[in-house]
Amino acid sequence: MKKMWTGRTAGELNKIADKFNASIPFDQRLYRQDITGSIMHAEMLAAKGIIPVTAKDHIIEGLEGILEDLESGKMAVDMTAEDVHMFIEGALTERIGDEGKMLHTARSRNDQVALDLRIYVKEEIEELQGLLLDMIDALAEKAEEYKSTVMPGYTHLQRAQPITFGHHLMAYAMMYLRDLDRLKDIYRRTNVSPIGCCALAGTTYPTDRQMEAKGLGFDSVCQNSLDGVSDRDYCVELLSALSILMMHFSRLAEEVVLWSSWEFKFVELSDSFTTGSSIMPQKKNPDMAELARGKTGRVYGDLISLLTVLKGIPLAYNKDMQEDKEPVFDAVDTAKICLQVFAPMIREMKANEENMMHAAQKGFINATDLADYLTKKGMPFREAYKITGTIVSDCIHNGDVLEKLPLEKYKEYSDMFEEDLYDAIDLIHCVQRRNSEGGTSVESVENQIAYVKAAIQKEMEE
Ligand code: ARG
């Protein structure tokens, strides 16, 4: 495609320089946003008397035709074009003739690309929010199913205190709920229109930026034209939020990997979300979880790439900024596919309740409760802690567990022990007694589920 900027130069770009300069291989995916922006731009230009109404009608008709043909596959993207903006404008002029050349009045590719990217980010945030809601819903549903399933809770990956599997799953629901909230916040700052900032300084034409912004569904317009064409904060924010989201994925993924190992055997993933080994017939690998854990790295990389591209570049537009798009696309695509895979994988995941209980019984995770038992009978906690520690140590030595140690044995450590101690260290009771707000009791987990469901409901209504 012949360069539209021929004039100052002859436009004969060295072949490899031309390839180096082009963004069409990756920005072609912005064609719809570009056409949407251009249609509104033509509307505004005609409304302000900057271009004739007839020209506007032809421009819009031409753009709508291009969109239709691209969407149906009737028309292919011209890969010799420099970028998506040049491609669409060139295709328009080819279709409708010289009137097509009026479209780029009071506009620059600098505000045009800024607009396209904002429209794209807004749309993707909305999609991500929908997927996040589904992920949170999947976790809440699973938590409901396993709200009274006892498992060991861990610190330092050492069995610590009994919790329910439902409680554990709800911890992730809370993380994803914060991710959702972050996206909502970012949407607000993305929803500001840069169109009309032009190359960098605004324009001498009597444009109406407010009209263009409103027509495109933006809340307001950027207040400084230099900032409007240079600002990619919303992309950095999006990639930060997606990095945090992926960090959450990597933690859940790691637990799914551990839980489905033979060593833990806490969960069984469905066949549709596991793979086999080409040589080891016994294998059922949690590839999806491992991949999500691995893909976290690339999203962090996308964030760092973008921050580094933007670092230290002077105002306003610089070609460096063409490098903003690939990290943004990659991070969005990656986060979306992880959400799409994980929600059904979690829904189909089955807990091995027996093994969870078994692991809970073996780890002395009710030792805190035994100490609390003595404390509640009047013994200072430090002393109770010490006695319990000695009992645990003796049990380990003799191969005993707290639940099975006879009362006479307990009495040897302290005469405060009575028959009711067995009730105090019963795992189900240990869980049920942790009824503080946010605790692991069944009632508390039910409250957490209700909280999350109400938040989902509220989001759906908005
Ligand atoms: N392809 C360019 C980009 O993605 C569009 C803006 C080009 N502007 C310019 N003045 N060369 O950043």
Side-chain angles (χ1 to χ4, degrees):
M1 187 172 161
K2 183 141 175 69
K3 295 284 174 288
M4 264 178 262
W5 38 257
T6 14
R8 165 80 167 79
T9 62
E12 291 303 330
L13 205 53
N14 167 290
K15 244 194 157 116
I16 197 73
D18 195 20
K19 188 174 174 204
F20 187 60
N21 193 45
S23 53
I24 193 84
F26 50 86
D27 71 12
Q28 56 170 299
R29 66 192 274 176
L30 292 175
Y31 72 83
R32 198 172 38 75
Q33 291 82 355
D34 197 72
I35 290 173
T36 305
S38 288
I39 290 175
M40 191 57 222
H41 191 61
E43 293 277 13
M44 185 280 292
L45 291 176
K48 299 301 289 181
I50 301 169
I51 64 169
V53 173
T54 46
K56 179 244 336 179
D57 290 341
H58 294 146
I59 288 172
I60 293 180
E61 213 177 292
L63 288 170
E64 283 173 349
I66 293 171
L67 181 62
E68 224 181 278
D69 292 351
L70 283 171
E71 227 100 268
S72 70
K74 211 165 131 191
M75 182 182 175
V77 174
D78 177 2
M79 296 308 283
T80 68
E82 184 180 330
D83 57 27
V84 66
H85 325 293
M86 292 298 202
F87 160 59
I88 304 278
E89 200 190 322
L92 176 69
T93 305
E94 219 170 85
R95 271 187 197 217
I96 69 166
D98 278 354
E99 283 176 324
K101 296 180 184 165
M102 291 181 178
L103 174 63
H104 211 53
T105 317
R107 183 174 82 167
S108 151
R109 272 189 296 160
N110 299 349
D111 58 343
Q112 190 178 354
V113 71
L115 175 70
D116 293 0
L117 198 53
R118 284 210 192 231
I119 297 176
Y120 165 84
V121 168
K122 279 174 60 181
E123 290 172 351
E124 293 297 338
I125 287 180
E126 283 180 340
E127 273 212 39
L128 281 160
Q129 284 175 319
L131 294 172
L132 261 168
L133 283 173
D134 190 45
M135 177 71 196
I136 298 166
D137 185 62
L139 286 163
E141 272 174 28
K142 263 297 122 163
E144 175 70 42
E145 191 179 335
Y146 295 118
K147 64 184 175 192
S148 39
T149 304
V150 175
M151 70 180 281
Y154 295 82
T155 61
H156 314 269
L157 204 56
Q158 303 282 324
R159 291 172 190 166
Q161 287 181 351
I163 57 169
T164 66
F165 190 40
H167 190 54
H168 200 121
L169 291 170
M170 285 313 290
Y172 285 103
M174 299 302 170
M175 296 176 217
Y176 290 117
L177 202 57
R178 288 196 295 277
D179 292 324
L180 188 71
D181 196 46
R182 261 185 284 276
L183 287 178
K184 223 166 129 179
D185 214 39
I186 296 165
Y187 188 91
R188 196 168 51 80
R189 279 183 292 280
T190 307
N191 203 9
V192 181
S193 168
I195 196 71
C197 291
C198 302
L200 72 162
T203 181
T204 54
Y205 291 99
T207 53
D208 187 344
R209 291 192 61 202
Q210 296 291 340
M211 174 192 172
E212 225 170 328
K214 291 279 158 329
L216 289 166
F218 283 93
D219 261 358
S220 59
V221 305
C222 310
Q223 290 299 307
N224 178 295
S225 61
L226 287 170
D227 179 46
V229 289
S230 315
D231 177 21
R232 297 290 184 272
D233 290 5
Y234 60 99
C235 297
V236 176
E237 284 192 60
L238 176 64
L239 269 47
S240 309
L242 294 183
S243 294
I244 298 173
L245 167 71
M246 291 304 298
M247 178 268 287
H248 293 153
F249 263 122
S250 75
R251 298 181 78 168
L252 176 57
E254 169 67 10
E255 300 216 269
V256 168
V257 171
L258 285 174
W259 292 339
S260 46
S261 70
W262 280 84
E263 283 68 19
F264 273 80
K265 271 196 157 206
F266 280 3
V267 302
E268 168 114 29
L269 295 172
S270 76
D271 290 354
S272 26
F273 290 95
T274 43
T275 61
S277 154
S278 52
I279 81 156
M280 296 167 279
Q282 82 284 11
K283 294 287 282 288
K284 189 171 175 187
N285 297 329
D287 288 30
M288 312 307 139
E290 294 166 73
L291 270 172
R293 194 175 56 186
K295 283 175 188 291
T296 303
R298 68 191 273 168
V299 175
Y300 289 4
D302 292 329
L303 170 64
I304 297 301
S305 298
L306 183 63
L307 280 169
T308 312
V309 163
L310 295 171
K311 176 189 172 293
I313 50 178
L315 299 182
Y317 178 84
N318 300 268
K319 192 76 172 197
D320 316 41
M321 289 164 77
Q322 183 164 286
E323 290 291 312
D324 59 0
K325 277 167 281 299
E326 284 166 293
V328 173
F329 295 157
D330 185 67
V332 167
D333 292 344
T334 305
K336 273 166 65 179
I337 189 106
C338 287
L339 286 163
Q340 282 164 336
V341 167
F342 262 63
M345 187 177 87
I346 293 294
R347 282 198 173 94
E348 291 178 28
M349 181 176 80
K350 287 201 167 50
N352 189 330
E353 301 182 71
E354 224 172 275
N355 280 350
M356 284 184 173
M357 180 52 112
H358 198 64
Q361 281 164 341
K362 276 171 78 184
F364 294 98
I365 58 181
N366 42 6
T368 315
D369 298 86
L370 188 63
D372 283 344
Y373 170 86
L374 291 174
T375 311
K376 279 174 190 157
K377 296 234 159 172
M379 188 183 285
F381 181 75
R382 273 294 152 229
E383 203 176 314
Y385 175 93
K386 203 162 172 214
I387 290 179
T388 308
T390 315
I391 299 175
V392 167
S393 158
D394 291 349
C395 276
I396 292 170
H397 191 75
N398 305 324
D400 280 332
V401 293
L402 295 178
E403 295 89 325
K404 302 245 168 78
L405 203 66
L407 186 58
E408 315 89 78
K409 276 267 172 218
Y410 274 109
K411 291 265 191 208
E412 287 173 17
Y413 296 97
S414 162
D415 52 18
M416 281 188 180
F417 283 121
E418 305 288 346
E419 192 60 40
D420 59 351
L421 83 90
Y422 296 102
D423 228 33
I425 60 172
D426 177 88
L427 289 174
I428 311 271
H429 290 159
C430 292
V431 161
Q432 282 299 40
R433 273 198 309 272
R434 289 196 165 76
N435 203 21
S436 52
E437 199 173 344
T440 196
S441 76
V442 177
E443 192 190 336
S444 165
V445 172
E446 277 168 350
N447 289 338
Q448 295 171 42
I449 295 170
Y451 173 88
V452 160
K453 292 243 169 188
I456 293 176
Q457 192 58 35
K458 196 169 155 250
E459 284 303 320
M460 306 277 244
E461 279 158 17
E462 267 174 20

